[in-house]
């Protein structure tokens, strides 16, 4: 082992410590984690650095399970399926889809946590004022509320909120973000005169906020979750076959808009 | 809903069925899966199409847990950390790393399953003949055996094999691929006059083969597993900060090899 | 500057030599290249390591120009356009499309060069025998010939071949690969009883082979060429707007194939 | 051809018009472009939609040539080289690097154009006021000025500015952005008491602004330019060989920062 410390120090991590024959992850020998730690618990331990157990782990697992797929009309899934017919490996087909979970496709949960924190900090200013200052910065639409497809209700949201309530009753989480989300939902319903319900991004954001995640990790964990659907679709397409699958059947073309 | 069936039929899937207010994944209402299905079980259900439960689920979970990280000397992890300092989102930093889990970096498990299947099919021909025909096609090195770093033993492999044995005793898996892997390991030790132990790719390949996965999904599931480490490192680097992190400290440069 | 040579030596290159205030690319001061070297010439110099000038540069430029785009039915273009609506940067939208130019979507030129080299090596064995041994290894379809859309003729191929002939007359290239490609084309027409004309991959492969490129660089240069179309489409989609653009209009869905 | 116009209309483009045997790019038959249009001119035509010729084309070409590479300490180049050893295709190795040209690694040119436009709009307010309002929004550092490596001067910038001046003298470009950039440079030198010279991003931004590009295309064109260096390095690494190349020699490891 060369001991030029500036080179080794260029790469610093609290995540993994390793010697030949020895791998410690977040301070735990890997062989002790294998067989004793669930995959969801491992996701949390690796990313957050602390163990998660019991009702909190159960709630985290529910969030991961809920967002695995929303079908091949989602651009990330469609792209991964097309990629699987282009002669690249499953890993690269998955990367193609994952790369598309950007601010618009994958960022609503992250933005919803930021919104909840904003409302929480507002405190005595009240919800109405907090939403006003939020909208002044970010525009009229509130991340985490409303859905262009699932009307009136996305079946995942009430189920997730129900689990949040159960977990809050055990004292394992504060429950404050569920209250904030419901208050926003009620405010929007009154404002618009019709329901603008909490959607899947808003509901998983409640869970991640309750568990103490920084906002950007709502996107990070969503990426881990949706990667499951991306793999499932890329593999199904691989088995279906096809070469250079385009977005529509080959008999269709595009509309030429030029002169 | 437009009913031009050729367009809808261009995108066919057994994975997800959806109407407004209704999402079924592999035939199950998503709200019934949330809270009742572990994330590992969900990974299997989505990708393989069938439920996994009990000892088989436990074994699958162990494989997923075992491969989450091997440190920032791995090019996928280093690249994800560098990407996190380049002004792209966490999803894109993750995609950067995932994209690199190709035939060499992420393909050994897939190749090891193919090797096990080859040895299994050989049957009466015997192990020695089977390895000979394999090597004639693929070269001298056998995927899944030996490690340039963990000498003498990768701590993950014996732990995983131990779990395979326990599961085989319950009758939940056949146990035949563990036998094949051990036979290859013994053969290599005799051939080289020193241990060439089963490595993590070979050990997880035993599990995926025992569970009935097609070989390419060993890479697919490895990608889901390593994505956890990729996210953990990309996020840690994000918190450490830095701009355009290169591979070595800026005081180093490269060697110019030209005239 | 730290002088731990093993670290600097880990990164060795003949491409670039640099000191503060000094950048040499392939041995040339960058300020001498700027304004005196065309972008196409720079592509060749950087990748191949030697200058390209005159009729050879003109021919190389024609190959780069010819393959920039084939429309949004190509999965790489469609994916880049979808990516541009997902909240990621132009660079990541481009990477999404580029990543899909794999063995099937981007590999035909590379395979066609390999085919031409195979036919060339066959020599006295004759064309028929060479195609037979090629097909025994690679299957019945010959890379670079036939097109599912442009019937009878892709307008780019005869134009490129014409430029190859003109250049061969100057003595700047041997012209042998154009002969081989035409011989294969004639052979296929006789074999099938109808034209199976040289396509764009086969035609650009003739050029890259005439110029002395290794086969994998046919893919590399195709990637540089198609990146232009990928950027054009990603940018046009950015200006058109949209959020999470799917493959088909939202009123369409997919066909559920499950039970 | 199915004529369900809503499907075809979902993909609208002014870039390409196609029928069997006919390809028009930006209104020009592709066979007329091949051999008559340089690759740089084609880049502009495809992305901007209008032809570029003469001194403007010459200037555009200089910008593309100037930014092709800055060596393997750049994370995009290092990642592409590492990727080339991981068992993925050249296209995917290139995509790995390209994906990293984000806001920090690839965005300075785009930001510099925005800065120039901001200063231009300020008009009578004067430079000092304009820089003040810019910094209030974006922080103290001005994009396009200063370099951590090339001190005192990046050799590319004066060469590019010289070409801008020559072109402005012909009347082909207004020359106003070169004036703005020089005014900022002089302002910074006075402010800091030492030179903070225009860097490559600032210099190419002058060119793109003079030519009338929207700011985001400074990143787009930079991506096309740097892709050349990415391919050159990925290919050189492919020929050098290696498997799973990490950031530093294997004898080095990282510093474990945990407890």
């Amino acid at each position: 082992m060369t001991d030029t410390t500036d080179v080794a120090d260029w790469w610093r991590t609290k995540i993994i410590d390793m010697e030949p024959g020895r791998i410690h992850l977040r301070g735990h020998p890997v062989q002790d984690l294998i067989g004793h730690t669930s995959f969801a618990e491992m996701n949390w331990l690796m990313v957050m650095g602390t163990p998660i157990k019991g009702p909190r782990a159960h709630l985290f697992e529910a969030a991961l399970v809920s967002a695995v797929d929303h079908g091949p009309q989602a651009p990330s899934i469609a792209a991964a399926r097309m990629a699987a017919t282009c002669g690249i490996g499953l890993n690269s087909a998955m990367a193609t889809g994952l790369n598309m979970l950007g601010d618009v496709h994958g960022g609503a949960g992250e933005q919803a946590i930021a919104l909840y924190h904003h409302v929480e900090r507002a405190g005595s200013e009240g919800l109405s004022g907090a939403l006003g200052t939020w909208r002044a910065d970010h525009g009229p639409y509130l991340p985490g509320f409303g859905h262009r497809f699932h009307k009136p209700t996305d079946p995942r949201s009430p189920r997730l909120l129900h689990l949040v309530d159960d977990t809050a009753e055990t004292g394992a989480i504060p429950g404050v973000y569920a209250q904030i989300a419901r208050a926003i939902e009620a405010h929007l319903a009154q404002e618009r005169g019709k329901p603008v319900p909490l959607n899947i991004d808003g509901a998983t954001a409640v869970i991640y906020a309750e568990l103490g995640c920084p906002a950007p990790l709502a996107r990070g964990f969503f990426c881990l979750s949706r990667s499951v659907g991306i793999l499932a679709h890329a593999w199904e397409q691989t088995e279906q076959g096809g070469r250079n699958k385009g977005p529509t059947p080959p008999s269709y073309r595009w509309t030429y808009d030029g002169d």
Side-chain angles (χ1 to χ4, degrees), chain A residues 95-176:
Chain A
T96 300
L98 181 57
N99 203 27
M100 290 164 72
L101 302 178
D103 288 347
V104 173
H105 194 3
E110 178 174 356
Q111 295 149 20
I113 291 188
L115 169 64
Y116 301 158
H117 287 162
H118 176 80
V119 170
E120 185 183 25
R121 279 191 304 270
S124 64
E125 180 195 358
L127 179 64
S128 181
L131 295 184
T133 52
W134 176 273
R135 281 165 161 166
D137 281 349
H138 298 93
Y141 293 101
L142 298 182
F145 295 85
H147 203 290
R148 62 182 185 182
F149 182 79
H150 291 298
K151 295 180 187 305
T153 308
D154 184 322
R156 297 167 292 185
S157 300
R159 173 70 179 135
L160 289 171
L161 262 277
H162 181 77
L163 290 174
V164 171
D165 292 343
D166 285 355
T167 313
E169 274 179 30
T170 71
I173 54 169
V176 60

Side-chain angles (χ1 to χ4, degrees), chain A residues 136-222:
Chain A
D137 281 349
H138 298 93
Y141 293 101
L142 298 182
F145 295 85
H147 203 290
R148 62 182 185 182
F149 182 79
H150 291 298
K151 295 180 187 305
T153 308
D154 184 322
R156 297 167 292 185
S157 300
R159 173 70 179 135
L160 289 171
L161 262 277
H162 181 77
L163 290 174
V164 171
D165 292 343
D166 285 355
T167 313
E169 274 179 30
T170 71
I173 54 169
V176 60
Y177 299 104
Q179 288 170 19
I180 288 172
R182 283 185 171 118
I184 297 173
E185 197 179 35
H187 183 95
L188 283 172
Q190 191 171 31
E191 192 179 87
R192 305 264 184 91
K194 61 173 183 177
V196 187
L198 189 70
N199 60 33
I200 179 68
D201 299 305
T204 51
V206 166
I207 292 180
Y208 295 130
E210 293 284 350
L211 295 173
C213 289
L217 286 182
R219 187 189 314 196
F221 287 131
F222 171 65

Side-chain angles (χ1 to χ4, degrees), chain A residues 10-258:
Chain A
W10 185 243
W11 295 96
R12 306 181 72 89
T13 181
K14 291 178 162 52
I15 299 170
I16 182 166
D17 188 20
M18 209 163 89
E19 298 289 337
R22 177 178 168 276
I23 303 172
H24 282 207
L25 298 175
R26 294 293 190 182
H28 305 270
V30 67
Q31 65 273 27
D32 295 353
L33 295 166
I34 296 170
H36 295 123
T37 306
S38 79
F39 187 46
E41 289 166 357
M42 197 69 187
N43 286 8
W44 183 274
L45 174 66
M46 288 294 289
V47 177
M48 295 292 290
T50 53
I52 191 169
K53 288 288 175 191
R56 287 169 54 84
H58 190 67
L59 192 61
F60 179 55
E61 194 139 26
L64 290 175
V65 164
S66 69
V68 291
D69 190 20
H70 203 252
Q73 267 279 355
S76 54
I77 298 289
R81 293 189 74 118
M82 297 193 297
T85 70
C86 292
I88 59 179
L90 264 179
N91 59 302
S92 290
M94 291 171 71
T96 300
L98 181 57
N99 203 27
M100 290 164 72
L101 302 178
D103 288 347
V104 173
H105 194 3
E110 178 174 356
Q111 295 149 20
I113 291 188
L115 169 64
Y116 301 158
H117 287 162
H118 176 80
V119 170
E120 185 183 25
R121 279 191 304 270
S124 64
E125 180 195 358
L127 179 64
S128 181
L131 295 184
T133 52
W134 176 273
R135 281 165 161 166
D137 281 349
H138 298 93
Y141 293 101
L142 298 182
F145 295 85
H147 203 290
R148 62 182 185 182
F149 182 79
H150 291 298
K151 295 180 187 305
T153 308
D154 184 322
R156 297 167 292 185
S157 300
R159 173 70 179 135
L160 289 171
L161 262 277
H162 181 77
L163 290 174
V164 171
D165 292 343
D166 285 355
T167 313
E169 274 179 30
T170 71
I173 54 169
V176 60
Y177 299 104
Q179 288 170 19
I180 288 172
R182 283 185 171 118
I184 297 173
E185 197 179 35
H187 183 95
L188 283 172
Q190 191 171 31
E191 192 179 87
R192 305 264 184 91
K194 61 173 183 177
V196 187
L198 189 70
N199 60 33
I200 179 68
D201 299 305
T204 51
V206 166
I207 292 180
Y208 295 130
E210 293 284 350
L211 295 173
C213 289
L217 286 182
R219 187 189 314 196
F221 287 131
F222 171 65
C223 286
L224 291 181
S225 174
R226 185 54 58 91
S227 291
V228 176
I230 291 173
L231 171 58
H233 281 279
W235 175 242
E236 186 184 58
Q237 184 65 55
T238 301
E239 294 199 292
Q240 287 178 9
R243 289 170 67 85
N244 295 335
K245 183 189 183 86
T248 55
S251 55
Y252 291 85
R253 285 214 290 282
W254 58 89
T255 296
Y256 178 62
D257 250 359

